[in-house]
């Protein structure tokens, strides 16, 4: 499987990338779990699930000399808080594997530098992995160039042979991992990325019949500022919604040290110090609800976004007569794929001139 994956991305996995790939997608991996690592979990789970039933058939205690070895193997892979004993009644195989992945993830963080720690935490944010779980569809389709770039960036693999002067801005160094591309100010890529996400959310609001408007002017009297990327009338308690969309990168120099300690630091800091600080009070003075929707370049988002999308999914569910879980999954996948493809295009347009 690993050899096939190497062929897909056109590059061999380093030791660090290999360990990351083995994690579940909830921890920012790609789910290529090693059977040698997780083999004990199904055995333990099924043994304890069937223990009482087998004992009732046999009318005696169920002997099993292999369960002790399996528990010992499991305990060597998890934190002491999750260790088992022979009298335990463990939960599902999924939960047992989750404990193994959690310990592997923590060890990876300890062994990584600050930049990689920030990347690991950014990838493990809720719904950041939605692009990998997305069902095939036209809007979620990745090109043969976009997918390997996204995957290499996700696993911390080099995309370029060496650092070089950015071929777009001719001012900053393009690192081998392509992180500069997500913040490069030239070519209009940041504006296009912003507009793609804004348009997707606008379409969702339209489906929910919220009557949205794009880039509504004159929210603030005597000001040309347009914080309302999307304006939705009567959003809540008679107040209109001013939704301000933005994208930031947790691996920027000003963020990555703190982002290595706290998941979501970059998007929440940007929302608080740039968006809320400048616009929230002024929007509220005009009788509006101000909501910054700040996405990170690895797919996470600021703390107010989930509640907004939850409410939006309810509106779409009623209009489309679909289950809310189906709509919610579709929303996260659509946004995640659009974001990842946009960043992949930024990187691919900045390969050094031959």
């Amino acid at each position: 499987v690993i050899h096939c994956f190497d062929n897909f991305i056109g590059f061999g996995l380093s030791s660090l990338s290999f360990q990351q790939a083995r994690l579940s997608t909830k921890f920012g991996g790609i789910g290529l779990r090693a059977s040698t690592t997780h083999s004990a979990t199904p055995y333990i789970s099924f043994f304890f699930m069937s223990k009482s039933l087998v004992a009732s058939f046999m009318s005696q205690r169920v002997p099993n000399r292999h369960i002790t070895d399996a528990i010992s193997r499991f305990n060597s892979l998890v934190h002491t808080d999750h260790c088992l004993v022979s009298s335990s009644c463990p939960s599902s195989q999924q939960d047992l594997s989750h404990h193994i992945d959690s310990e592997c993830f923590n060890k990876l963080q300890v062994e990584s530098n600050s930049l990689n720690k920030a990347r690991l935490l950014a990838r493990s944010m809720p719904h950041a992995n939605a692009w990998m779980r997305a069902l095939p569809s036209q809007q979620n389709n990745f090109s043969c160039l976009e997918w390997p770039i996204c995957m290499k960036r996700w696993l911390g693999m080099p995309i370029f042979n060496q650092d070089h002067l950015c071929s777009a801005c001719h001012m900053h160094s393009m690192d081998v991992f392509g992180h500069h591309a997500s913040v490069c100010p030239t070519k209009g890529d940041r504006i296009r990325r912003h507009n793609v996400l804004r348009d997707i959310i606008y379409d969702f609001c339209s489906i929910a019949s919220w009557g949205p408007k794009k880039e509504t002017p004159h929210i603030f009297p005597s000001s040309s500022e347009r914080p309302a990327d999307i304006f939705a009338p009567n959003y809540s308690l008679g107040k209109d919604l001013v939704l301000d969309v933005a994208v930031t990168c947790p691996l920027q120099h000003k963020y990555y040290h703190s982002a290595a300690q706290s998941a979501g630091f970059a998007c929440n800091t940007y929302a608080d110090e740039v968006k809320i600080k400048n616009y929230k009070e002024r929007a509220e003075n005009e009788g509006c609800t101000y909501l910054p929707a700040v996405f990170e370049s690895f797919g996470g988002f600021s703390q107010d976004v989930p509640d907004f999308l939850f409410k939006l999914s309810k509106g779409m569910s009623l209009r489309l007569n679909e289950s809310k879980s189906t709509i919610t999954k579709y929303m996260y996948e659509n946004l995640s794929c659009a974001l990842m493809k946009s960043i992949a295009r930024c990187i691919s347009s900045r390969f050094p001139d031959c």
Side-chain angles (χ1 to χ4, degrees):
V1 173
I2 294 297
H3 289 310
C4 289
F5 182 77
D6 288 347
N7 291 332
F8 280 141
I9 62 176
F11 199 82
L13 293 173
S14 66
S15 176
L16 180 63
S17 298
F18 185 53
Q19 293 178 61
Q20 294 170 45
R22 285 181 162 185
L23 295 174
S24 70
T25 54
K26 286 186 177 180
F27 288 96
I30 58 175
L32 297 181
R33 284 174 167 167
S35 59
T36 53
T37 303
H38 291 268
S39 58
T41 61
Y43 186 84
I44 294 171
S45 177
F46 291 131
F47 173 80
F48 283 100
M49 286 176 62
S50 60
K51 183 178 179 181
S52 59
L53 180 62
V54 174
S56 67
F57 288 155
M58 298 179 65
S59 301
Q60 62 181 11
R61 181 174 174 273
V62 181
N64 191 314
R65 60 188 179 87
H66 300 295
I67 191 62
T68 302
D69 293 337
I71 290 176
S72 177
R73 170 65 176 164
F74 173 80
N75 290 344
S76 69
L77 298 170
V78 300
H79 191 271
T80 53
D81 292 344
H82 300 122
C83 286
L84 302 175
V85 294
S86 58
S87 59
S88 299
C89 186
S91 51
S92 66
Q93 176 186 343
Q94 183 179 11
D95 291 336
L96 296 176
S97 288
H98 177 85
H99 295 323
I100 293 177
D101 283 336
S102 177
E103 184 65 10
C104 292
F105 179 79
N106 292 334
K107 288 180 179 179
L108 270 177
Q109 285 190 294
V110 171
E111 297 169 359
S112 300
N113 57 32
S114 293
L115 193 66
N116 272 327
K117 285 181 181 178
R119 182 177 56 80
L120 289 169
L121 285 177
R123 299 179 323 156
S124 64
M125 288 186 68
H127 306 290
N129 60 20
W131 67 280
M132 287 191 292
R133 295 169 172 262
L135 295 175
S137 65
Q138 184 175 357
Q139 62 266 39
N140 294 338
N141 181 51
F142 286 74
S143 72
C144 294
L145 178 60
E146 291 166 352
W147 191 86
I149 289 177
C150 288
M151 192 55 69
K152 286 182 179 180
R153 182 171 167 271
W154 190 256
L155 294 175
M157 300 171 63
I159 298 172
F160 302 104
N161 291 327
Q162 59 186 7
D163 293 353
H164 60 275
L165 187 66
C166 177
S167 60
C169 67
H170 301 288
M171 295 171 55
H172 302 284
S173 173
M174 174 63 74
D175 56 282
V176 294
F177 303 104
H179 299 321
H180 167 70
S182 63
V183 297
C184 184
T186 56
K187 283 194 172 183
D189 290 317
R190 294 192 302 186
I191 296 174
R192 280 191 289 271
R193 180 161 60 244
H194 165 276
N195 290 348
V196 165
L197 296 178
R198 178 205 62 193
D199 291 347
I200 290 174
I201 297 175
Y202 172 84
D203 290 341
F204 290 159
C205 292
S206 297
I207 293 172
S209 297
W210 283 9
K213 298 178 181 178
K214 293 182 189 177
E215 306 289 348
T216 302
H218 311 306
I219 296 294
F220 305 140
S222 304
S223 174
S224 60
E225 294 173 291
R226 295 191 179 190
D229 291 312
I230 298 174
F231 179 86
N234 301 315
Y235 172 71
S236 178
L237 302 175
K239 294 183 177 181
D240 302 330
L241 172 67
V242 173
L243 185 72
D244 196 351
V245 180
V247 183
T248 190
C249 178
L251 304 187
Q252 295 179 74
H253 181 73
K254 62 181 178 181
Y255 287 143
Y256 80 85
H257 286 292
S258 296
Q261 306 300 321
S262 175
F265 175 85
C267 58
N268 288 315
T269 299
Y270 190 89
D272 291 338
E273 297 183 357
V274 178
K275 296 299 185 180
I276 292 176
K277 182 179 179 180
N278 291 328
Y279 300 121
K280 183 175 183 178
E281 184 177 354
R282 296 160 65 191
E284 289 178 347
N285 289 339
E286 299 303 320
C288 298
T289 297
Y290 178 76
L291 176 65
V294 182
F295 294 81
E296 287 191 353
S297 57
F298 281 92
F301 34 75
S302 52
Q303 57 190 1
D304 293 327
V305 173
D307 289 340
F308 164 74
L309 293 180
F310 177 81
K311 182 172 183 175
L312 182 55
S313 67
K314 289 176 68 175
M316 293 176 63
S317 175
L318 291 172
R319 287 284 296 169
L320 298 176
N321 194 28
E322 287 278 1
S323 68
K324 191 172 69 65
S325 60
T326 300
I327 295 297
T328 301
K329 184 175 184 293
Y330 169 78
M331 291 169 62
Y332 283 122
E333 289 176 354
N334 205 339
L335 288 166
S336 182
C337 288
L339 176 61
M340 291 300 170
K341 289 193 292 183
S342 172
I343 293 175
R345 290 166 187 160
C346 291
I347 294 174
S348 65
S349 68
R350 285 167 172 78
F351 277 92
D353 298 327
C354 297

